[in-house]
Amino acid sequence: MGVLIVLIGLVMIFCGVPIAFVLGGTAVAAFMTSEFIPMVIFPQRVFAGMDQFPLMAIPFFILAGALMNQSGMTVRLVRLSQAIVGRFRGALAQVNVLVSIFFAGITGSAAADASAVGSVLIPAMEEDGYETDFSAAVTACSSLIGPIIPPSIPAVIYAITAGVSVGEVLLAGIVPGLLLGLSQMVVVDYYARKRGYRSGTKFTFKQALGIIREAMWALIMPAII
């Protein structure tokens, strides 16, 4: 039976089947070929694995990111980031990292972060004279902050799987996520000086207060979540 399961797994891998489906397919094959495990256990265990109340957080995190895009909160976070780091060299790249830190506290997903931030900032960075590969690289790297700073979809899945406190796992990601964002901003500053990227728009104190007021709901969403 073991050899058959290994062969099934290898055939699925060589056929280009995603690893997640390979693992599921080999597990189903093990159930079907076993003489000691009744098949009725299979649907029971599948349901038991999904019957976890904390998993409800995942679709709500995704919904929060979709609502932000549709309501224009992403643009407000970009303007807030411009008001904070706009005077630095490589301003738009710095904004890219900072807005990913803000966005990470809402969606908990690297893909959602890259999609929302990249759709706004990559065209703006290219228009401002940044190379396409640099713009895409900054967006891809900054989106990795999304699954680290709480709320985090991978952290929720890990906590449920390991049987540990979801809240403690989420809180454990705050400091590493902020350190990752800070280190990325240092790297961006290095390349900005090396490649001669310019600083951005400087806002007056009155303008900054207006921007903060507009972005207030986006800022308190992590606390609400």
Side-chain angles (χ1 to χ4, degrees):
M1 183 181 71
V3 176
L4 177 62
I5 293 173
V6 172
L7 288 176
I8 292 174
L10 291 175
V11 169
M12 294 176 73
I13 290 174
F14 284 119
C15 289
V17 178
I19 295 297
F21 293 98
V22 173
L23 296 175
T26 52
V28 172
F31 268 102
M32 295 181 66
T33 55
S34 174
E35 300 177 358
F36 307 101
I37 305 176
M39 280 300 295
V40 69
I41 293 179
F42 179 71
Q44 290 177 349
R45 299 313 303 165
V46 171
F47 178 79
M50 296 185 297
D51 187 23
Q52 300 283 348
F53 179 74
L55 288 177
M56 289 296 297
I58 297 175
F60 283 116
F61 290 165
I62 298 172
L63 175 63
L67 290 175
M68 283 194 63
N69 279 334
Q70 294 298 322
S71 64
M73 284 189 181
T74 303
V75 178
R76 295 174 188 174
L77 286 178
V78 170
R79 284 182 52 80
L80 176 63
S81 301
Q82 287 176 328
I84 297 174
V85 297
R87 63 189 65 202
F88 297 163
R89 278 188 173 272
L92 282 181
Q94 299 283 10
V95 167
N96 197 320
V97 177
L98 186 59
V99 76
S100 291
I101 294 176
F102 289 139
F103 210 81
I106 298 168
T107 63
S109 167
D113 191 331
S115 174
V117 177
S119 62
V120 175
L121 282 178
I122 289 181
M125 291 176 69
E126 292 176 344
E127 186 177 344
D128 201 46
Y130 293 83
E131 294 85 352
T132 302
D133 55 352
F134 180 79
S135 305
V138 171
T139 303
C141 292
S142 65
S143 67
L144 296 178
I145 304 172
I148 300 177
I149 293 179
S152 168
I153 292 175
V156 172
I157 295 174
Y158 167 79
I160 294 171
T161 305
V164 297
S165 170
V166 175
E168 291 179 0
V169 173
L170 290 177
L171 289 176
I174 295 177
V175 174
L178 294 176
L179 289 176
L180 178 59
L182 180 62
S183 63
Q184 289 183 2
M185 294 178 76
V186 172
V187 174
V188 165
D189 182 74
Y190 167 78
Y191 278 103
R193 295 179 184 277
K194 183 178 179 180
R195 300 187 179 187
Y197 296 141
R198 61 182 182 177
S199 59
T201 305
K202 296 181 181 180
F203 293 88
T204 64
F205 182 73
K206 184 177 180 180
Q207 289 174 326
L209 285 179
I211 292 172
I212 293 173
R213 186 167 56 251
E214 291 177 358
M216 188 60 65
W217 282 108
L219 292 176
I220 65 174
M221 271 195 74
I224 295 174
I225 292 173

